[in-house]
Structure formats: structure tokens, C-alpha cells
Amino acid sequence: KAGVTQTPRYLIKTRGQQVTLSCSPISGHRSVSWYQQTPGQGLQFLFEYFSETQRNKGNFPGRFSGRQFSNSRSEMNVSTLELGDSALYLCASSFNRGGNTGELFFGEGSRLTVL
Amino acid sequence: QQQVKQSPQSLIVQKGGISIINCAYENTAFDYFPWYQQFPGKGPALLIAIRPDVSEKKEGRFTISFNKSAKQFSLHIMDSQPGDSATYFCAASMSNTGKLIFGQGTTLQVKP
């Protein structure tokens, strides 16, 4: 069974640009969550999608958005990039709503560098 | 109140020794406490998890001890091996939120 796939794995952008990251969950998983990982702030919850609906959102500005498609694949978008957005963005999937009802399976992440 | 505090930040243990990582939380509504292991270049992977109705859970060399009254939980790695060298994150969540609150992480180095 294929794991969580995130694309692209690495990308470099400049301030003010926008970026879209993609996540393909494990087949059959209906919930997708996104986390931002930085050395200073650690792992921080961005948002969770289940059945194409955003169910929960973390404490991030509106520049961070996401969506989930009918096949459970998810994308997140960051507009007007800032230097502080440089981070590893992790996608996680689970069969039900993850975090407390079951295991979260993480992808290897998309490493974003903002110059 | 949403924070999970993890210590130590880094840990060096000799092969065969016991590694102990501690976490503390404030929000008594948390009802699920997983530990994740992350190797460089990889995403975190679930190691072991516990719910507050259990004081201890053991899986192989990994044990979670949970103290509900103290609002603390810890990970014990028995017979630590060089292959256990990784970053470990504790986390907590509340029912029906789909959201994990992670500790800051502990970088474990097991010396051969």
C-alpha cells in the first residue's frame, strides 16, 4: 500500500510569490491534515479536511488555505510568501478524523524555502 | 492551555541504556496522547499512543507512563539502540478535533 505522497519535495520561492503544495493520502483514507514544521516552532497544526470540508484550522493567517477534492487528495496554498514561511510542510492522512481516533500517517513533506 | 511541554530538548544515551523523555500538558480535555518518531528527511511516524484511562502501555522496548493527576506522560525506551537515534515528539489531542498539539521534540542520540 502506497504511503502519503507529497509534491513537490523541495521548492524555492521569493517573497511575495504564492505556492501550492499537493498531498495524496493513503488509499481509502478520508482525512487529510497539514502541519508546518520549523526548528523554532516545531510542528504546528495548519488545518484538517474530511469529506472535502475543512473541519479545523490552526492559528495561521488567512494567507494559508487549503482544499480537499472528492478523491481525498488535498492541496494547500500559501499566498504572498514571507521569509518566515520557510518550513517543512507535512501532510498526514487517516481513515477517520485523525488526531484522536486513529493513527496519523505522515508524508515526507515539502520543504519550502522563501528567499 | 493548548501547549504540550517536552523535555529534555536533547538526550545522549549509551547503547543498552534507558532513554526517558517527559511531557506535560495543561488542558484536561486532552484524551489521546501519541508519541511520534522522526528520522532526518522523513515524516513523523507513530510509535505508541495511550489514552488517559490507562496508566501504562508497553510495546516492545517502548513504554508510555501516564500520570493523569500530574498531567504528565513519559516515553521510556529500554535497551536503547543506535537505530533509535531520532527526534521524538509527544503530542496530545481532544476528541473530534482532528488536531494534534505537539511538544517541541527531543533529539535522541544513542552511542554505540
Side-chain angles (χ1 to χ4, degrees):
Chain A
K1 202 173 193 181
V4 177
T5 304
Q6 292 188 244
T7 57
R9 290 291 314 280
Y10 303 91
L11 64 166
I12 300 173
K13 295 286 187 177
T14 56
R15 279 182 301 175
Q17 287 187 311
Q18 74 166 20
V19 66
T20 299
L21 308 178
S22 179
C23 173
S24 293
I26 291 172
S27 178
H29 284 192
R30 300 179 294 169
S31 172
V32 173
S33 303
W34 289 88
Y35 289 81
Q36 181 195 64
Q37 185 173 23
T38 59
Q41 298 298 317
L43 281 154
Q44 292 190 294
F45 173 79
L46 279 158
F47 23 66
E48 182 217 5
Y49 287 88
F50 184 81
S51 294
E52 302 178 63
T53 303
Q54 186 181 90
R55 303 291 178 149
N56 204 345
K57 190 178 192 308
N59 188 25
F60 280 83
R63 299 185 297 106
F64 291 81
S65 63
R67 58 179 176 169
Q68 186 181 33
F69 302 95
S70 58
N71 61 359
S72 294
R73 192 177 68 84
S74 177
E75 288 182 347
M76 67 163 282
N77 182 277
V78 187
S79 62
T80 319
L81 284 166
E82 300 177 359
L83 295 178
D85 297 333
S86 295
L88 180 67
Y89 290 89
L90 290 160
C91 169
S93 76
S94 62
F95 180 72
N96 287 311
R97 290 192 66 191
N100 62 288
T101 58
E103 180 176 354
L104 283 183
F105 292 84
F106 283 86
E108 294 188 337
S110 292
R111 183 165 296 282
L112 170 65
T113 301
V114 182
L115 302 177
Chain B
Q1 231 197 359
Q2 288 287 317
Q3 282 188 323
V4 176
K5 295 182 180 179
Q6 183 172 346
S7 63
Q9 189 175 356
S10 62
L11 182 61
I12 300 175
V13 173
Q14 292 292 332
K15 178 182 175 182
I18 302 173
S19 303
I20 301 174
I21 305 170
N22 301 298
C23 284
Y25 64 97
E26 288 295 325
N27 193 335
T28 55
F30 287 144
D31 59 3
Y32 177 68
F33 302 88
W35 285 88
Y36 279 80
Q37 179 189 55
Q38 185 178 28
F39 292 104
K42 301 292 185 183
L46 180 67
L47 197 59
I48 187 172
I50 198 167
R51 295 193 184 273
D53 53 345
V54 177
S55 62
E56 185 176 281
K57 183 174 181 180
K58 183 176 180 179
E59 290 184 3
R61 296 183 295 108
F62 300 91
T63 300
I64 299 179
S65 296
F66 188 83
N67 186 330
K68 189 174 181 178
S69 60
K71 290 183 283 187
Q72 295 175 347
F73 58 110
S74 60
L75 176 70
H76 295 233
I77 306 174
M78 311 299 289
D79 188 25
S80 298
Q81 299 296 312
D84 297 330
S85 297
T87 300
Y88 293 81
F89 294 94
C90 63
S93 73
M94 289 179 280
S95 294
N96 300 319
T97 62
K99 168 183 176 180
L100 281 175
I101 309 294
F102 283 90
Q104 285 294 96
T106 296
T107 301
L108 171 65
Q109 182 185 357
V110 181
K111 290 193 169 184

